[in-house]
Amino acid sequence: MIQKREHWGSRMGFILAASGSAVGIGNIWKYPSIAGQNGGAAFTLVYLACILVVGLSIVIAEFVIGRNTQLSPVGAFEKLAPNTSWKWVGFLGVGSAFAILSFYGVVGGWIFKYIIMSLTGGFDTLAGSPDTAGNVFNTFITGLWAPVFYQVIFMTVCIWVIIHGVKGGIEKWSKIMMPLIIILLAVLAVRGMTLPGGSEGLAFLFNPRFEELTASGIVLALGHAFFTLSLGMGTMITYGSYLGKKENLLNSALWVIFLDTAIAMLAGVAIFTTVFALGANPAEGPGLIFVVLPSVFPQLAGGTVWGTMFFILLFMAALTSAISILEVVTAYFIDQKGWSRKKATIRFGAVITVVGAFCSFSLGGGINITGIFGISFFDFMDGLSSKYMLPIGGMFTAIFILKKWGIPNFINELKNGMDHFNVPPALIRTLLTIGAAVVAFIIFNEIYAVFAGKALIG
Ligand code: TRP
């Protein structure tokens, strides 16, 4: 069955949807904590360089492949290189989407639970006591059904948006949620900066401390640049496939990386000014969001409002990202199998929710499958996707353009929508080569670490 391809309704809608994919849990909890821990502005400089050199070129590469073929990853590679193995890069993307969304949905559920908890005054008893907050969090996530219950709610909202289509679902909700995320974060950042002592948080985040920047910090910056821009699994190919020829892809990609970076920094300001003003310890990772912040917010006047605002904006950020991940799977079944959008989304949304429930169970909810992988199934899915599948996907995307499709074809497509701009082929070749090489190094470093017990760098 041939269906007419859906398209974005407006250029702004596309940019907000693509940046909605990029802006996610990664921006709000990961960037601030790794920047703070690895030299502040010294880390941020390296990170910006990675975003501009590696990130920008691969975002554009994905947009170009998607728009040219008007297909999601598997179909796209098959169309540009028929009867070759290149379509496996597309399948790898669909597989990565399964792996990422299974645990991402669980975290989405935790966020929803924390909105409810904050609204109902559940943070009040945690004021000033990260230890109690830590116990509450651990008891919750290691429970059997409660986390799964919230995960199902998160996934249902995600499925519901996607069923409404590219324009009527993804675009419509991105246009509502992205501005809200920015406004709420800005309010929280101003609140934080006006707290006495808040500026210490700014120093933690923005003072360049080059002596703290290590080789492993640099590798971290590279890996994060990749994850935060949603690269390597064909998300941007899929979103690009709903574009028409008039769009200027360079300009759109610059908007996406600008919004992604600006929001990550704003999140850093909002979080660290508040944490430092109250003399709390800036923990890393999930602890910062689910343990430190719930113990800090109730110490502020109007704490319920600030806490609820924070978790609502985090929920929206997670949702727009989760949508982009599920859309890769949905688009595969629509494009390659001729399924209806509704059938594809519901079936595979449900399958991913069930796999995700096992991620949640593996944290302690009674079903122990940790023994099989040596680590919890949750960490296994996380590590497998972000350390291996995404970088491998991104590397092959760059190699595909360099070696198979060819720079001239790539430039012909890129030029649509940017009439008076001459794209120098040598520049494209250099950027994609650097991108592929750098990612290859990250993958090698990971694999080396598994076998040698210690990373080459990091
Ligand atoms: N970029 C998102 C974040 O920062 C996560 C994400 C969404 C993602 N879609 C993706 C990561 C696709 C890799 C690939 O949280």
Side-chain angles (χ1 to χ4, degrees):
M1 184 178 32
I2 303 292
Q3 296 160 337
K4 193 175 172 308
R5 190 151 201 85
E6 296 177 74
H7 275 136
W8 304 106
S10 66
R11 175 180 140 75
M12 192 176 75
F14 160 65
I15 290 174
L16 290 179
S19 46
S21 167
V23 173
I25 305 174
N27 299 59
I28 295 173
W29 95 30
K30 194 142 182 233
Y31 166 76
S33 62
I34 56 180
Q37 240 93 36
N38 287 282
F43 175 88
T44 300
L45 282 178
V46 177
Y47 168 78
L48 287 178
C50 298
I51 293 267
L52 280 173
V53 177
V54 183
L56 179 64
S57 55
I58 300 189
V59 174
I60 295 176
E62 290 205 12
F63 283 167
V64 166
I65 293 175
R67 183 175 70 181
N68 183 268
T69 56
Q70 297 281 299
L71 287 168
S72 54
V74 175
F77 284 104
E78 180 61 21
K79 185 168 174 183
L80 295 176
N83 304 318
T84 61
S85 307
W86 282 102
K87 64 172 173 298
W88 285 99
V89 181
F91 282 118
L92 180 70
V94 178
S96 313
F98 263 85
I100 297 187
L101 191 52
S102 61
F103 71 85
Y104 211 87
V106 175
V107 180
W110 297 349
I111 298 169
F112 189 67
K113 154 85 180 176
Y114 270 64
I115 296 179
I116 310 272
M117 215 162 118
S118 176
L119 265 179
T120 53
F123 291 170
D124 294 349
T125 50
L126 311 177
S129 170
D131 289 345
T132 320
N135 287 336
V136 169
F137 177 58
N138 271 326
T139 310
F140 169 62
I141 67 167
T142 55
L144 184 57
W145 293 113
V148 174
F149 170 78
Y150 290 102
Q151 178 223 4
V152 170
I153 297 180
F154 178 84
M155 291 298 297
T156 307
V157 180
C158 181
I159 290 169
W160 181 84
V161 172
I162 294 192
I163 287 180
H164 287 83
V166 173
K167 196 165 138 190
I170 304 177
E171 177 170 351
K172 177 175 162 194
W173 286 99
S174 303
K175 274 159 85 175
I176 297 174
M177 292 195 285
M178 287 304 287
L180 277 174
I181 293 172
I182 297 173
I183 293 170
L184 293 181
L185 263 182
V187 171
L188 283 167
V190 171
R191 165 78 277 216
M193 284 190 294
T194 51
L195 290 171
S199 57
E200 266 177 63
L202 293 181
F204 181 65
L205 191 61
F206 291 127
N207 269 0
R209 297 180 300 276
F210 286 97
E211 67 290 354
E212 283 174 30
L213 182 68
T214 58
S216 91
I218 295 175
V219 175
L220 215 62
L222 272 167
H224 186 62
F226 227 76
F227 185 83
T228 190
L229 292 173
S230 303
L231 295 177
M233 57 167 252
T235 316
M236 296 301 175
I237 296 182
T238 309
Y239 276 17
S241 77
Y242 303 128
L243 278 175
K245 297 288 183 201
K246 311 186 298 299
E247 233 53 77
N248 181 328
L249 297 181
L250 171 63
N251 187 295
S252 308
L254 284 170
W255 265 109
V256 171
I257 66 174
F258 166 73
L259 285 172
D260 185 73
T261 308
I263 292 179
M265 294 195 184
L266 201 56
V269 172
I271 293 172
F272 286 132
T273 49
T274 314
V275 167
F276 276 81
L278 294 166
N281 197 7
E284 271 183 88
L288 177 63
I289 300 300
F290 291 105
V291 176
V292 177
L293 289 181
S295 69
V296 162
F297 283 129
Q299 292 176 279
L300 297 174
T304 304
V305 177
W306 308 120
T308 310
M309 252 165 88
F310 179 80
F311 282 98
I312 288 179
L313 85 85
L314 185 57
F315 183 83
M316 294 191 293
L319 188 63
T320 46
S321 298
I323 287 171
S324 73
I325 306 177
L326 186 54
E327 178 63 16
V328 171
V329 181
T330 296
Y332 166 73
F333 285 96
I334 297 178
D335 291 347
Q336 304 308 115
K337 304 282 173 200
W339 288 20
S340 73
R341 170 168 286 276
K342 193 168 171 186
K343 174 175 161 191
T345 313
I346 294 183
R347 289 214 183 165
F348 282 90
V351 172
I352 294 173
T353 308
V354 172
V355 178
F358 281 90
C359 289
S360 177
F361 294 148
S362 79
L363 297 176
I367 300 180
N368 191 347
I369 42 178
T370 299
I372 310 174
F373 305 104
I375 47 172
S376 74
F377 186 52
F378 186 104
D379 291 337
F380 174 80
M381 288 305 231
D382 180 8
L384 178 71
S385 51
S386 52
K387 289 186 183 153
Y388 303 101
M389 296 171 90
L390 297 177
I392 290 175
M395 178 182 74
F396 278 116
T397 305
I399 296 178
F400 176 76
I401 291 168
L402 288 165
K403 295 283 171 213
K404 180 71 195 172
W405 196 32
I407 303 277
N409 287 329
F410 175 84
I411 289 184
N412 273 341
E413 179 60 51
L414 179 61
K415 271 186 163 166
N416 291 316
M418 26 195 297
D419 302 336
H420 307 292
F421 193 82
N422 250 333
V423 193
L427 177 67
I428 302 273
R429 186 181 304 280
T430 311
L431 289 178
L432 287 175
T433 309
I434 295 176
V438 159
V439 184
F441 174 75
I442 299 181
I443 304 164
F444 173 77
N445 197 39
E446 280 304 331
I447 297 178
Y448 181 90
V450 170
F451 288 103
K454 174 180 162 307
L456 210 54
I457 291 188

